[in-house]
């Protein structure tokens, strides 16, 4: 979701995983889901800073977290014209 044109985006993700032994077994916590939300701050056209938080959404299980905080710096330089 674009909050400020070419400068600031809101991002939301839902993801999860399941071990083979308890594939989609809800009772044993075999399918934890995590919800992450964050902001992308564009510094240049192809480079941005990504800040966010995440939390478990569907009970405890393999690799489920109570909370996560993350940050990333993505740098994609513009090559420009070559001669």
């Amino acid at each position: 979701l674009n909050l400020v044109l070419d400068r600031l985006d809101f991002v939301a993700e839902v993801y999860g995983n399941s071990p083979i032994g308890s594939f989609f077994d809800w009772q044993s916590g075999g399918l934890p889901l995590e919800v992450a939300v964050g902001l992308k701050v564009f510094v240049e056209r192809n480079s941005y800073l990504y800040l966010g938080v995440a939390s478990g959404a569907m009970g405890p299980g393999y690799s489920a977290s109570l909370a996560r905080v993350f940050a990333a710096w993505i740098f994609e330089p513009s090559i420009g014209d070559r001669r």
Side-chain angles (χ1 to χ4, degrees):
L1 176 64
N2 190 261
L3 299 176
V4 178
L5 185 62
D6 295 332
R7 286 290 166 215
L8 184 65
D9 283 356
F10 174 78
V11 180
E13 300 175 347
V14 176
Y15 56 93
N17 58 47
S18 183
I20 298 294
S22 59
F23 197 64
F24 292 105
D25 183 7
W26 293 94
Q27 274 65 36
S28 68
L31 185 63
L33 294 177
E34 196 164 280
V35 176
V37 295
L39 294 173
K40 281 173 136 181
V41 181
F42 289 88
V43 179
E44 290 191 21
R45 194 176 114 224
N46 293 332
S47 300
Y48 56 89
L49 177 64
Y50 186 45
L51 305 167
V53 295
S55 180
M58 295 298 263
Y62 179 73
S63 78
S65 69
L66 293 176
R68 295 181 200 258
V69 177
F70 54 89
W73 177 264
I74 310 302
F75 178 68
E76 299 175 7
S78 299
I79 295 174
D81 292 338
R82 291 189 183 201
R83 292 183 181 215

